[in-house]
């Protein structure tokens, strides 16, 4: 069976969930071969093997942490040359998409970004995408070269499928461009203890109706009762009430959780673009005419400062 | 020595309109009015600020697109860009991101540059890969997704706010920069700017001017193929209740019924 390269997204060997989802999708097309760049390959290999990686190609070098994007492209290109894969899968993070784009060009191959599903087809993998603010669903394939496909988080289940997962060193020669953009300082984002926005099963968001940074505690309390991530509309972010990293929408994150709870969000097209593919959508808004209510499975017309705390208390009570 | 800045912008269908696919599964550009992609306004703004901080700088705004795409150039010129380049060719219809990056890279080389500035993504395709593709083709550093940018002494520095960390980046010119919507509000064109834009030069180029073979672009030259596009079915109307004191409890009951709690 043909091999499929999966770029591992990890923090010092702690593999992030979207990579495990990629392994599920890779097995539909062939035998997953994970590419681990940076420290922690041995630790990562255990998890990767449990989820179906037949091999783990590992390379570590300071270039991966000291310079932007290109060193990882050099490494993935070396892996592609070593493996002759049927496809290359990368998680649809900002960096993942940039790596995939440059790799595709080097492999003389087409690229599909932000796939929400992937199946084997007669002429190679067929990717589903959600376009025009999720108003349309398309199915596409790469018609030239090795399909390079980036996949959105939450697009596939995480499944265990034990495989060998043998760690093999990957030889990488860095090109001249690899050291073009230096990362001179890195400030890790402070952990809130909440799940990552794009990976969370439940997202609780606040918008203009939250009416102030201090009031976001109401949204956070509901999120914490549900074990959810916190999102914010662009209006709330632009007003400085919540960090940009939490923005859901066209210019922020695109999320696709099992449950999305929109509070005080009218549902402008820019916001809908980022959350419309959520499985179940719930909204609380005092304006009965708000367009968000066109999307919901369940909506409450009312004051979020009455409804949300009551909901939070009820969730806590039910969870006991 | 003048700093040559090229800003690549896109003319896109208005996202608030009812966007559709044409029969050949390309974007139906007649369905909705077009405009300068909002995310590219941030690129124009940052280019203007970089130029303002330089001793001597010239900003060329570049777009690839149909006749109407001139509107996007006019907007950028009225904001303060100095001149414009419009690549227009019937063979470009249906070009994918790989082909688009080829045309942009060739046009940028044609103009001559020290710094290329783009938005983080277009508001129609939203892939966000064209900036990286241009940098790869030009063989220059990519300093992308910046929320803050500055150019001094032949170096570009900027801040990239990622999910896990905020990174301070540095590269030597020539380089490509892409900026996010957090980089700073884009200015509105003044009346004077709008009047001045009418007199600014717009150079028209086609594929032959750039030495590009028509078979490398367009729908035929695309390296990806869209098989089908289906409109998302409208969501079945949900249950909507008015809060009369028990709204939170009712919502909790719904969530429990759906097994979320």
């Amino acid at each position: 069976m043909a091999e499929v390269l999966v770029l591992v997204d990890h923090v010092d060997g702690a593999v992030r969930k979207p990579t495990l989802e990629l392994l599920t999708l890779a097995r539909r097309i062939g035998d997953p071969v994970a590419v681990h760049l940076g420290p922690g390959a041995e630790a990562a290999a255990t998890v990767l093997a449990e989820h179906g990686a037949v091999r783990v190609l590992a390379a570590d070098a300071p270039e991966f942490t000291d310079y932007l994007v290109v060193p990882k492209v050099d490494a993935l290109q070396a892996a592609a040359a070593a493996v002759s894969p049927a496809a290359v899968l990368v998680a649809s993070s900002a960096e993942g998409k940039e790596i995939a784009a440059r790799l595709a060009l080097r492999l003389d191959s087409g690229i599909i970004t932000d796939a929400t599903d992937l199946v084997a087809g007669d002429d190679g993998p067929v990717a589903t995408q959600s376009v025009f603010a999720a108003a349309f669903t398309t199915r596409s394939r790469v018609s030239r070269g090795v399909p390079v496909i980036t996949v959105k988080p939450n697009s596939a289940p995480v499944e265990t499928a034990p495989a060998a997962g043998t760690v093999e060193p990957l030889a990488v020669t860095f090109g001249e461009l690899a050291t073009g953009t230096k990362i001179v300082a890195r400030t890790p984002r402070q952990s809130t203890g909440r799940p990552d926005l794009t990976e969370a099963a439940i997202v609780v968001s606040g918008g203009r109706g939250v009416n102030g940074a201090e009031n976001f505690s109401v949204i956070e309390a509901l999120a914490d009762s549900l074990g959810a991530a916190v999102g914010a509309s662009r209006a709330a972010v632009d007003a400085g009430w919540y960090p940009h990293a939490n923005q859901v929408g066209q210019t922020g994150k695109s999320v696709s959780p099992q449950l999305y709870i929109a509070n005080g969000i009218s549902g402008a097209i820019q916001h809908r673009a980022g959350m419309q593919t959520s499985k179940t959508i719930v909204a609380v808004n005092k304006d009965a005419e708000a367009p968000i209510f066109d999307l919901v499975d369940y909506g409450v017309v009312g004051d979020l400062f009455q409804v949300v705390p009551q909901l939070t208390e009820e969730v806590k009570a039910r969870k006991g | 020595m003048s700093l040559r800045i090229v800003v690549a912008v896109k003319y896109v269908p208005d996202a608030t309109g009812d966007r559709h696919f044409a029969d050949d599964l390309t974007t139906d550009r007649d369905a909705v009015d077009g405009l300068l992609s909002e995310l590219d306004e941030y690129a124009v703004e940052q280019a203007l600020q970089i130029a303002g901080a330089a001793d001597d700088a010239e900003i060329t705004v570049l777009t690839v697109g149909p006749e109407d795409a001139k509107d996007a150039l006019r907007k950028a010129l009225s904001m303060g860009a100095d001149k414009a380049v419009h690549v227009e060719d019937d063979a470009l219809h249906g070009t994918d991101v790989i082909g688009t990056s080829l045309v942009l890279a060739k046009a940028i080389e044609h103009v001559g540059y020290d710094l290329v500035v783009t938005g983080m993504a277009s508001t129609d395709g939203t892939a966000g890969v064209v900036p990286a593709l241009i940098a790869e083709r030009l063989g220059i550093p990519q300093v992308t997704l910046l929320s803050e940018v500055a150019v001094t002494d032949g170096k570009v520095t900027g801040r990239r706010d990622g999910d896990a960390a905020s990174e301070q980046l540095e590269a030597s010119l020539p380089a490509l920069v892409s900026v996010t919507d957090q980089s700073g509000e884009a200015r509105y064109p003044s009346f004077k700017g709008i009047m001045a834009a009418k007199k600014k030069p717009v150079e028209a180029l086609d594929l032959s001017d750039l030495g590009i073979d028509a078979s490398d672009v367009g729908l035929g030259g695309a390296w990806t193929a869209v098989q089908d596009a289906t409109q998302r079915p409208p969501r079945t109307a949900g249950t909507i209740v008015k809060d009369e004191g028990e709204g939170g409890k009712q919502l909790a009951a719904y969530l429990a019924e759906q097994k979320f709690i």
Side-chain angles (χ1 to χ4, degrees), chain A residues 102 135 139 141 189 234 310, chain B residues 42 136 142 162 227-228:
Chain A
R102 299 184 75 133
R139 288 189 305 166
R141 62 184 182 82
R189 197 171 290 287
R234 182 166 177 181
Q310 189 180 67
Chain B
Y42 297 95
E136 177 73 28
Q142 70 166 77
Q227 294 185 337
D228 50 54

Side-chain angles (χ1 to χ4, degrees), chain A residues 54-143:
Chain A
V54 296
R55 295 197 280 156
V56 178
L57 305 181
D60 192 8
E63 279 83 354
F64 295 128
T65 43
D66 294 351
Y67 296 92
L68 194 73
V69 173
V70 186
K72 291 177 182 166
V73 182
D74 287 351
L76 210 46
Q77 187 181 13
V83 169
S84 301
V88 182
L89 305 186
V90 181
S92 263
S93 61
E95 185 194 39
K97 291 203 283 189
E98 292 183 330
I99 293 169
R102 299 184 75 133
L103 178 75
L105 201 51
R106 291 187 189 184
L107 298 180
D108 211 16
S109 300
I111 178 171
I112 290 174
T113 51
D114 295 325
T116 56
D117 196 13
L118 199 60
V119 293
D122 294 340
D123 303 309
V126 177
T128 303
Q129 289 166 291
S130 185
V131 299
F132 292 156
F136 282 82
T137 302
T138 60
R139 288 189 305 166
S140 307
R141 62 184 182 82
V142 169
S143 50

Side-chain angles (χ1 to χ4, degrees), chain B residues 192-204:
Chain B
K192 203 175 139 196
I194 292 166
M195 294 314 286
K198 294 183 198 289
K199 297 194 180 104
K200 290 177 179 174
V202 179
E203 184 184 6

Side-chain angles (χ1 to χ4, degrees), chain A residues 156-244:
Chain A
V158 172
E159 294 168 359
T160 53
T166 324
V167 180
E168 299 167 33
L170 172 69
V172 182
T173 311
F174 294 111
E176 212 175 298
L177 290 176
T179 53
T181 308
K182 190 166 175 51
I183 301 170
V184 293
R186 181 182 281 117
T187 315
R189 197 171 290 287
Q190 260 185 336
S191 171
T192 58
R194 297 190 182 95
D196 182 276
L197 184 58
T198 53
E199 298 171 23
I202 303 178
V203 173
V204 177
S205 283
R208 199 185 297 275
V210 175
N211 201 24
E214 64 285 1
N215 299 337
F216 254 85
S217 57
V218 173
I219 305 299
E220 290 178 330
L222 174 59
D224 291 342
S225 75
L226 291 162
V230 176
S233 73
R234 182 166 177 181
V237 170
D238 282 352
W241 301 342
Y242 221 67
H244 177 248

Side-chain angles (χ1 to χ4, degrees), chain A residues 14-34:
Chain A
V15 179
R16 298 184 66 209
K17 185 165 155 264
T19 301
L20 303 179
E21 297 169 9
L22 291 183
L23 290 171
T24 298
L25 295 176
R27 290 202 308 278
R28 297 180 186 169
I29 307 163
D31 291 327
V33 173

